[in-house]
Amino acid sequence: MALPASSNPITSVAPSSSPITSVQPPTYSSPLYPQSTNPQLLTRLNLDLRGQMFPVERETLMLLPESVLLGLFPQGLILSKPASWEGADDGVFTVDFDPDCFRYILSFWSTAQSTFYGTPTSPGLFHAQQNIPINPNDPTSDQSQNPLLSKQAIIVLREELEYFSITKPGGLAKTDLKTGLPNEELRALKRNCGKALENKKSIFAALERNVSSVGNAAEAHLIDMLCMSGFSRDDSWGFRACEPSRNVITSMALVLLKTGIMHPTSEEQKEGHHIPWIDAQQMSTAQKLLLFWRKPARKCWWDGVEVQIPASTTSKDEMINVKVWARRVWTLELSLVSFAFSIKQRSELTELTIR
């Protein structure tokens, strides 16, 4: 059961924020998952991510989490061909998104899919889970009622941090009163504050600090739920970097959801045990995360912290402490990867990852 709005640490994004729009297929109206047989849809897109080109099949793009698609296409994306379209069945789209972050996402997806669904030479976990017997008293053992038995589940956690550096009166860092523009010292101070925050890679440190200061039980419960589902309290962001020309830091963390499906160890297999079993308590926790499947949810809070940076552009060893206020926005989503993912698409993800 979802928590009441007043106590829920994360508030769901409105369904109208779908990042991709396309021609409406006749039998399924979702703009994110249009029918692949529609001839009016582009089948291949060339994504220009800040100067790096990523040729991606449309079906591969549709596999990515909705929160990631919102980051790629915040203003939406029309996938249908215009009436005057000529040439190859592809298009070039300029996207303001960090290419290293995109590469990190593709790499994780490729590894997770190969491990779960297997390769032509090695079976994955999916094949073993088909042998789990159905218990009439346990609906979680029925694949028709529990998608976690047949699909790879991935927790997607994204943070967008906007920071504001507090300067001291009479300091070198200041704004020109005539032009309203920052001087070089102030620009350097902001860059150094950003680098200092970027190096603070712990995922939960800021939220735990907030829990300690205001005693928010809902936020403490959120941390506990995520750590029971796949994260660890000392985990670091898988990707974290300052955005160019902005006082913003973008972070991304991906983990496999702990479903409670226990696979026999090699020693147990030698003894003749080959069928996986289900830890009911862990499966119950995992199913709570299904609330965030195709429904990205957000949490926003302010956080104050001091960072140590060089005193000026000319100082070599002198350091000063600067107070920084950060507005943090977390986006949480669960993604389920379908078995319909083709070998061609897996190969494409691998090729994009190693570019």
Side-chain angles (χ1 to χ4, degrees):
M1 179 183 294
L3 293 171
S6 58
S7 60
N8 195 335
I10 289 186
T11 304
S12 294
V13 177
S16 60
S17 60
S18 178
I20 290 184
T21 56
S22 61
V23 175
Q24 292 285 344
T27 59
Y28 190 48
S29 60
S30 172
L32 268 175
Y33 305 94
Q35 289 182 337
S36 60
T37 56
N38 191 334
Q40 296 302 316
L41 295 177
L42 293 173
T43 60
R44 189 174 182 83
L45 297 87
N46 292 304
L47 303 182
D48 182 354
L49 273 61
R50 298 177 182 172
Q52 296 188 34
M53 194 66 70
F54 290 80
V56 186
E57 295 289 333
R58 176 174 56 83
E59 294 298 332
T60 300
L61 192 64
M62 293 302 96
L63 295 171
L64 299 181
E66 194 160 318
S67 57
V68 173
L69 293 174
L70 281 167
L72 286 166
F73 311 109
Q75 305 301 320
L77 174 65
I78 303 299
L79 291 179
S80 58
K81 305 174 190 176
S84 60
W85 190 274
E86 296 180 358
D89 187 18
D90 59 11
V92 177
F93 299 87
T94 301
V95 181
D96 185 18
F97 195 87
D98 194 299
D100 290 333
C101 183
F102 193 57
R103 195 173 286 109
Y104 163 67
I105 295 168
L106 296 180
S107 175
F108 192 95
W109 242 246
S110 178
T111 301
Q113 288 158 348
S114 297
T115 301
F116 188 79
Y117 294 113
T119 65
T121 58
S122 175
L125 302 178
F126 170 81
H127 301 282
Q129 290 174 192
Q130 304 312 295
N131 299 320
I132 297 178
I134 297 178
N135 183 347
N137 300 320
D138 182 12
T140 63
S141 64
D142 187 347
Q143 289 192 28
S144 64
Q145 301 185 49
N146 185 3
L148 298 179
L149 294 176
S150 58
K151 293 180 174 64
Q152 174 65 72
I154 300 174
I155 305 176
V156 182
L157 184 62
R158 184 171 184 258
E159 179 186 75
E160 186 170 283
L161 183 158
E162 185 177 11
Y163 63 92
F164 303 86
S165 308
I166 309 301
T167 59
K168 295 181 179 180
L172 296 175
K174 62 185 66 175
T175 301
D176 189 303
L177 296 179
K178 293 182 179 180
T179 64
L181 299 176
N183 64 6
E184 182 55 36
E185 290 291 342
L186 182 53
R187 287 195 291 266
L189 181 143
K190 291 181 177 181
R191 287 194 300 268
N192 289 331
C193 286
K195 286 296 181 183
L197 289 173
E198 181 185 334
N199 291 331
K200 295 181 180 295
K201 298 183 182 296
S202 174
I203 294 176
F204 297 108
L207 192 57
E208 288 179 331
R209 192 162 54 243
N210 196 47
V211 170
S212 300
S213 62
V214 301
N216 191 316
E219 291 179 349
H221 174 69
L222 171 63
I223 296 174
D224 292 339
M225 180 181 68
L226 290 177
C227 290
M228 290 177 62
S229 302
F231 286 97
S232 297
R233 290 185 179 271
D234 58 352
D235 272 350
S236 299
W237 293 104
F239 168 84
R240 187 170 174 85
C242 295
E243 292 290 322
S245 304
R246 298 172 59 199
N247 293 340
V248 173
I249 299 171
T250 299
S251 306
M252 180 77 70
L254 306 170
V255 298
L256 301 179
L257 175 66
K258 287 183 178 179
T259 59
I261 302 174
M262 312 299 293
H263 288 259
T265 64
S266 57
E267 293 297 325
E268 290 171 334
Q269 291 181 14
K270 291 179 181 179
E271 297 175 359
H273 303 289
H274 300 284
I275 300 177
W277 66 95
I278 299 175
D279 181 328
Q281 183 176 0
Q282 183 62 46
M283 178 61 77
S284 176
T285 300
Q287 289 192 312
K288 294 178 182 178
L289 270 295
L290 285 173
L291 293 171
F292 304 107
W293 177 44
R294 291 187 184 175
K295 295 179 181 178
R298 286 179 179 170
K299 171 182 172 53
C300 175
W301 79 99
W302 284 90
D303 176 47
V305 64
E306 277 196 353
V307 296
Q308 195 172 59
I309 64 171
S312 69
T313 56
T314 58
S315 63
K316 295 182 178 179
D317 302 320
E318 184 182 359
M319 305 293 286
I320 59 172
N321 292 327
V322 176
K323 180 74 172 183
V324 178
W325 284 102
R327 180 179 181 271
R328 300 174 184 265
V329 180
W330 272 18
T331 303
L332 174 65
E333 182 182 3
L334 185 74
S335 182
L336 295 180
V337 181
S338 171
F339 182 67
F341 189 69
S342 67
I343 295 178
K344 176 183 177 182
Q345 289 169 322
R346 295 191 203 185
S347 175
E348 180 183 65
L349 277 185
T350 303
E351 291 176 2
L352 291 173
T353 299
I354 62 178
R355 283 179 186 273

